[in-house]
Amino acid sequence: MKITRLVPFILHAPVTRGAVADSTHALTHWGAPGVAIHTDTGHVGYGYTGTHAHLATDRLITDCIAEAYAPLLIGEDPMEVRGLWEKLYRHAEIFWVGRSGITHLALSAVDVALWDLKAKALGLPLWKLLGGSPKRVEAYNTDGGWLNFSLDQVVADCQKLTQESGYRAVKVKVGGPDAGEDVRRVAAVRRAIGPDVRLMADANGRWSLPEAIQTCRRLAEFDLTWIEEPLAFDDVVGHRRLAASVPVPVALGEQLYMTEQFRDFIAHEAVHYVQADAVRLAGVTQWWTVAELAHANRLPVMPHVGDMAQLHLQLCIAHPACDLLEYIPWLSPWMKHPVRVEAGRFAVPQEPGAGTEPSVRALNEINRLA
Ligand code: 0YR
Ligand code: MG
């Protein structure tokens, strides 16, 4: 089998709640800049990364795919995914300007498309190609806790998610301008959902170290499963100090690009829940390395879902370090085989591939931008 053509796309899907915000970002759409990789056998693989639907930088990502990576892939055998990843990652000129950021997000899309293609060509869902067996993956819902929603709205949403929709875990955003308000929101949600639902809080990198120490101490009584990205995303020393001084476990990783960064956070005991995201880590290939590293250190991997769980569900089924996965529904209406959550658990997908193929409607209706 040979690669014949790469066709970039940019999907911008509206967020289901109209407009949402965390402490650092506000958005109305989720972006999925990606690529379709075509072959001489007619098989097509799809991969994408996740963005805040900022068209100018989404185009940098698809340009990087078309200009830098596509010429290196034409004529290659797509089944040799790991070899191709090495070829693209270690390409001297791209390496000089890359290793994170735009090139890495572009490489994520390419790598995921290659895995999707390989799984389809073999007629297997990716979790089975990776050697997994069907397994229970719990879903935690993040779409009820946005920082731009009132306290009453957040409480009502979390109540609905847990009592009507059957979620046994929810995440709320914190890191607003008033720490007292953060504490009131978490307290009210904990009261509303009861003691048996897992509750997480996400500060999206907002706090200084003293603010994080103080607020985490106040939040500790609400039995948080984790505090997420309390400090600046890449700050190993800061997170080490925080983890040593508060009783709340620390989760992070959604903005880390390299295995070495995870190695350092883990070696310094600066992270408890490893939120490796394959669509930022340059794809499945490097995500797997990070998951193995975490697993060897007895740390659970609870991926961040830049892909909106389509790919990460496959990875979580396949990897023993994973049993809880974020769910946000933004891309579901636009995928050929959207992930399904029933009574708080992900159904095991059976279709061949990585789950990353957009629907025909998505490619027609929301891909007007590539
Ligand atoms: C929305 N998940 C996150 C979204 C999400 C952000 O701004 O990008 O909240 O990536 O932190 O855990
Ligand atoms: Mg987060």
Side-chain angles (χ1 to χ4, degrees):
M1 191 189 297
K2 286 204 180 339
I3 297 172
T4 52
R5 207 156 48 97
L6 279 81
V7 182
F9 60 81
I10 297 176
L11 306 177
H12 281 185
V15 307
T16 32
R17 311 295 302 270
V20 299
D22 59 35
S23 70
T24 341
H25 325 99
L27 52 155
T28 59
H29 289 72
W30 191 251
V35 64
I37 300 184
H38 295 256
T39 59
D40 58 357
T41 55
H43 293 98
V44 185
Y46 293 84
Y48 54 86
T49 185
T51 70
H52 291 169
H54 180 248
L55 185 56
T57 46
D58 282 357
R59 284 191 176 139
L60 293 178
I61 293 168
T62 51
D63 281 356
C64 178
I65 294 171
E67 301 284 331
Y69 292 132
L72 301 173
L73 287 172
I74 304 300
E76 293 282 4
D77 179 350
M79 304 295 267
E80 298 172 7
V81 185
R82 285 174 179 275
L84 292 177
W85 190 88
E86 289 292 330
K87 175 180 173 177
L88 301 183
Y89 180 66
R90 308 232 174 256
H91 183 273
E93 281 67 43
I94 305 175
F95 202 67
W96 184 259
V97 299
R99 304 203 298 285
S100 66
I102 298 292
T103 56
H104 234 57
L105 297 170
L107 185 51
S108 301
V110 170
D111 176 273
V112 172
L114 290 171
W115 281 104
D116 181 49
L117 182 52
K118 178 161 183 159
K120 281 175 182 159
L122 295 171
L124 298 171
L126 181 62
W127 59 261
K128 194 172 281 202
L129 173 58
L130 294 171
S133 307
K135 149 181 140 190
R136 177 179 291 187
V137 179
E138 286 283 317
Y140 77 82
N141 196 306
T142 304
D143 208 24
W146 300 105
L147 208 54
N148 57 322
F149 293 0
S150 70
L151 185 150
D152 288 346
Q153 182 70 59
V154 169
V155 166
D157 284 354
C158 290
Q159 226 157 10
K160 189 159 173 247
L161 288 169
T162 55
Q163 283 153 30
E164 287 172 35
S165 309
Y167 286 92
R168 282 171 292 275
V170 289
K171 187 163 89 186
V172 298
K173 297 291 183 180
V174 291
D178 173 4
E181 177 66 9
D182 280 343
V183 176
R184 280 192 290 281
R185 289 161 81 93
V186 171
V189 170
R190 173 52 82 198
R191 248 194 324 275
I193 62 179
D196 297 332
V197 173
R198 275 189 279 190
L199 175 61
M200 290 75 94
D202 187 354
N204 287 93
R206 200 69 192 171
W207 291 323
S208 67
L209 181 58
E211 283 171 334
I213 291 175
Q214 204 160 27
T215 308
C216 287
R217 286 191 178 145
R218 293 174 72 185
L219 292 175
E221 69 173 288
F222 306 111
D223 190 25
L224 291 181
T225 298
W226 70 61
I227 181 71
E228 180 168 328
E229 292 194 318
L231 308 172
F233 316 122
D234 320 283
D235 181 357
V236 178
V237 172
H239 283 97
R240 174 171 62 73
R241 290 182 174 146
L242 180 69
S245 39
V246 299
V248 184
V250 172
L252 55 80
E254 68 177 71
Q255 306 234 20
L256 301 182
Y257 290 95
M258 294 194 292
T259 306
E260 289 82 352
Q261 293 176 296
F262 283 96
R263 181 203 60 197
D264 293 348
F265 272 100
I266 292 171
H268 287 92
E269 300 174 12
V271 62
H272 299 102
Y273 290 94
V274 176
Q275 297 184 301
D277 187 333
V279 303
R280 188 175 294 273
L281 269 166
V284 172
T285 306
Q286 193 174 217
W287 183 93
W288 196 264
T289 306
V290 172
E292 296 282 84
L293 177 67
H295 196 48
N297 283 275
R298 302 284 173 271
L299 300 178
V301 177
M302 310 274 155
H304 172 259
V305 291
D307 64 316
M308 299 292 122
Q310 292 293 130
L311 165 71
H312 283 100
L313 176 56
Q314 305 273 341
L315 299 179
C316 283
I317 293 169
H319 202 282
C322 310
D323 61 15
L324 177 67
L325 180 62
E326 182 169 29
Y327 179 65
I328 307 176
W330 301 334
L331 283 186
S332 292
W334 306 101
M335 302 309 294
K336 187 169 178 189
H337 302 296
V339 295
R340 281 182 300 119
V341 177
E342 286 151 11
R345 292 194 181 111
F346 285 96
V348 176
Q350 300 297 340
E351 302 84 9
T356 47
E357 181 166 347
S359 64
V360 173
R361 183 169 147 246
L363 291 170
N364 289 335
E365 279 181 40
I366 61 173
N367 177 33
R368 300 182 194 289
L369 313 158

